[in-house]
Amino acid sequence: KDLYNTLKSMTDIEALIEKLFHYASLNFSVETSNNSFQSLNAKVRNLMISAGNYYVGFFGRIEKGQVKNLGIASGTVTGTSRVGGVTGVFNGGSLISGCYNKANVFGQSYTGGIAGMTGGEDSAILNCYNTGSVSGSYNVGSVVGDYKFLTLKNCYYLSGCATDGSGVTQFGVGHEEMGSATADDPGCADAKTATQFASGEVAYLLGEAFGQT
């Protein structure tokens, strides 16, 4: 709990996290609508998580909670299923806003740059981006591994950053069948090139969430 509160107040986190949690996710479970993690644009560097289980990410699970203004700036996140840079599982009336992931994410199923498995009514992922590589067998997405009862809006990802077990390039949202891909819905999750990210175009599109007015 003390570490959780410390992270909320920091702006640059050099991941001594690897030494503390080298075998599993930090697994902060953000639960109930009264629980939120809103940082001052916290940046997590060198996040190293390797866990042969489910619910793997900076947050193992977000349930009826909110996470805002968190950046995973570098590292590697590895798990079996429900694996994501920000969270492994994202459910039930939750919100992720103004977050990004640049870590490489590896799983077998339900693997995404921001979130692995999503679901539950009234949940939303807004104004986020992923440039880290994402790979797995099926339900592998550049932003989210799957897409159920979720509002996904104004999110971006590096084109070509995600592949499934057949080597097929995946888009913003994963597909349940290996070898197939789910087309992007414009305005939900959109692909951008490295040049577009470097030029500031994506920061402009993300607006106030990333300091643009």
Side-chain angles (χ1 to χ4, degrees):
K1 193 171 183 179
D2 290 341
L3 177 60
Y4 176 89
N5 290 329
T6 299
L7 291 175
K8 289 174 69 174
S9 65
M10 294 180 70
T11 57
D12 192 3
I13 305 166
E14 289 284 359
L16 295 171
I17 292 166
E18 179 182 3
K19 296 180 181 178
L20 296 172
F21 300 95
H22 63 280
Y23 58 90
S25 167
L26 286 181
N27 209 25
F28 293 136
S29 290
V30 179
E31 302 176 42
T32 81
S33 58
N34 296 321
N35 231 335
S36 66
F37 180 102
Q38 182 166 354
S39 74
L40 300 173
N41 298 313
K43 183 187 296 182
V44 180
R45 298 185 188 180
N46 305 320
L47 179 65
M48 303 298 291
I49 297 172
S50 181
N53 56 12
Y54 294 4
Y55 310 117
V56 180
F58 183 82
F59 293 93
R61 180 169 60 100
I62 300 173
E63 185 84 24
K64 297 182 180 178
Q66 298 184 2
V67 175
K68 299 179 180 179
N69 308 328
L70 173 67
I72 310 301
S74 60
T76 302
V77 178
T78 304
T80 300
S81 182
R82 292 121 171 121
V83 185
V86 174
T87 185
V89 172
F90 179 70
N91 277 329
S94 297
L95 171 68
I96 296 177
S97 177
C99 296
Y100 67 85
N101 175 67
K102 296 182 180 181
N104 297 323
V105 182
F106 303 94
Q108 293 181 13
S109 61
Y110 299 104
T111 303
I114 300 297
M117 174 178 276
T118 67
E121 295 182 3
D122 301 321
S123 292
I125 297 178
L126 312 174
N127 306 318
C128 295
Y129 74 86
N130 173 64
T131 58
S133 65
V134 185
S135 62
S137 296
Y138 62 92
N139 281 115
V140 179
S142 300
V143 178
V144 295
D146 77 340
Y147 183 33
K148 297 175 182 176
F149 307 110
L150 171 74
T151 297
L152 184 64
K153 185 176 180 181
N154 199 41
C155 292
Y156 302 93
Y157 63 91
L158 179 62
S159 180
C161 72
T163 55
D164 72 1
S166 294
V168 173
T169 298
Q170 299 296 299
F171 302 114
V173 178
H175 195 284
E176 62 185 5
E177 294 184 8
M178 189 166 59
S180 298
T182 301
D184 288 331
D185 289 330
C188 295
D190 296 308
K192 297 294 179 181
T193 65
T195 298
Q196 288 173 305
F197 271 97
S199 71
E201 177 182 336
V202 175
Y204 174 79
L205 292 169
L206 289 165
E208 292 184 8
F210 287 85
Q212 307 298 310
T213 57

